[in-house]
Structure formats: C-alpha cells, structure tokens
Amino acid sequence: MNYIITGLICSGKSTFLDIAKKKGFQIIKSDDLVNQLYKTKKIIESLEECFEMIEFRDSPKAKIKELFFKSIECKDKIEKIIHPIVHKILLEELNSKNNLFIELPPIKANYDLIKNNKSIFIDSDFQNRTNRFEMLENSDMTYFNKINSYQNDYKLIKECCDIIIFNNHNIDALNKYFEKDIIKS
C-alpha cells in the first residue's frame, strides 16, 4: 500500500516517515525532490526565463528561497514551474512501486494528488508545532510563520485524507498510530 503523508510545518511528518522507513517502506520527501530539481539545467533555464535579469546558476536554492518569500506572485511563478514536474515524478513512483510513503505539503496545488491516493494527515496544534520548530537549529520564526501562512488550505486537504493522526504527544504515540492504522489496515 502506498500513502501520501501531509500536515502542517512541524506536525511530525518527518518523524512519521522515519518510522515508516524503519518498518521497510520506501520514502520520498517532496522537499528533497524539489532540491534535486533546482540543480537541473531545465529548471534553471525555466526560472531564468520566468524571472528575467536574475541569475540562478551560482546559488539556485538561495535565490529561489529569496524569491519564494518575496511575494505571492513570485511563489506562484516558482510553483507553476516546479509542481507539474514534481507531480509527474510522484505519479510515476506511485504507479510503479508498492509500500511507498510520499511526503507532500498541504497546499491547494497538491489537492488532487492527495485526494486521489491513500493519504494520511499528521495533525498537531499550533503550540506543539511552534515548540518543535523552536528546537530546530537555526529556527527563524519568520520562516515558520510564512510557511504556516502558505499552508492555509490545510483544512481542505485534511478533509480529503483517509487517515488523520493527532500528534500532540511523542514518538511513542506516532508508533502506536502506525501499528494500528497502517500495519493492520
């Protein structure tokens, strides 16, 4: 069985994926996939064409991050280039593999992919997510707040998920959910 894992920033998606990996599931994190795409010639050329006068070749990830947070318009332009490629790759993986877990952010652009596949929403309250983020190295609350605001479609995404796991506790609770909702289903 393949699953798409989604949830707000610092909800516990990565921890849940670590559990899945230990149980023998294959893992794909969309952030890792996107970071790989930022290094490809096709993406660099598309970005340079879209954002005239900006050079991406030296430090594409830094430039993209800067533009992503600069404005909604810039974010949307980047997503129009990246998302179709990411979705194509992920659909190919879903159709060719079994026992695969894919992490995707809860944004409207990912709605169809999440809705049309088995999906799990990892939920956690704002205070727990904030506390987890603050424990990260180089935690910048501005970044947390921006990502949080970009994920404002999460309720729509959450409603279409097959399983909702509440993660306000600890890793033992996630392990129990995994055993109960995934292994035994």
Side-chain angles (χ1 to χ4, degrees):
M1 180 68 61
N2 296 333
Y3 287 94
I4 294 180
I5 310 301
T6 191
L8 294 169
I9 183 172
C10 288
S11 60
K13 297 179 304 291
S14 292
T15 303
F16 194 75
L17 290 173
D18 289 343
I19 293 167
K21 191 172 187 174
K22 289 176 185 170
K23 304 278 186 190
F25 289 86
Q26 295 178 12
I27 305 299
I28 297 175
K29 292 184 178 184
S30 61
D31 288 347
D32 295 343
L33 181 56
V34 169
N35 285 332
Q36 290 172 359
L37 289 174
Y38 289 162
K39 298 173 187 174
T40 65
K41 183 178 178 182
K42 179 181 175 183
I43 295 296
I44 298 298
E45 288 172 350
S46 295
L47 288 166
E48 287 177 342
E49 185 178 314
C50 183
F51 295 97
E52 299 170 1
M53 308 295 289
I54 297 178
E55 172 70 41
F56 287 89
R57 295 180 199 284
D58 293 335
S59 57
K61 186 175 178 181
K63 293 246 196 282
I64 293 165
K65 183 177 179 181
E66 177 186 326
L67 284 167
F68 190 85
F69 288 121
K70 182 178 180 182
S71 71
I72 295 291
E73 180 185 353
C74 289
K75 177 187 85 60
D76 289 346
K77 285 181 178 181
I78 293 166
E79 288 179 345
K80 282 183 183 175
I81 293 169
I82 300 293
H83 283 180
I85 297 167
V86 168
H87 289 176
K88 181 178 186 264
I89 291 168
L90 293 178
L91 280 170
E92 288 170 0
E93 292 293 320
L94 284 164
N95 290 325
S96 67
K97 294 192 171 137
N98 203 5
N99 294 326
L100 176 66
F101 276 53
I102 296 174
E103 174 273 326
L104 274 177
I107 57 175
K108 204 172 209 173
N110 293 332
Y111 177 79
D112 286 336
L113 197 56
I114 293 168
K115 183 181 182 207
N116 295 326
N117 291 280
K118 290 290 273 179
S119 56
I120 300 169
F121 190 93
I122 308 292
D123 200 1
S124 186
D125 67 37
F126 183 79
Q127 190 59 54
N128 276 301
R129 293 185 309 105
T130 303
N131 292 344
R132 289 178 191 136
F133 186 81
E134 288 174 340
M135 291 185 332
L136 298 174
E137 189 175 318
N138 301 322
S139 60
D140 175 2
M141 286 310 291
T142 303
Y143 175 81
F144 176 88
N145 291 326
K146 285 213 179 227
I147 292 294
N148 213 42
S149 71
Y150 286 158
Q151 296 178 342
N152 63 359
D153 294 318
Y154 80 93
K155 289 180 183 175
L156 173 71
I157 303 297
K158 183 178 174 181
E159 288 175 1
C160 76
C161 288
D162 299 293
I163 298 171
I164 298 171
I165 296 175
F166 296 96
N167 180 31
N168 286 337
H169 306 291
N170 57 34
I171 196 165
D172 292 332
L174 283 179
N175 269 305
K176 286 178 187 174
Y177 274 115
F178 196 92
E179 293 292 331
K180 182 181 92 172
D181 292 333
I182 308 305
I183 301 293
K184 296 201 172 146
S185 63

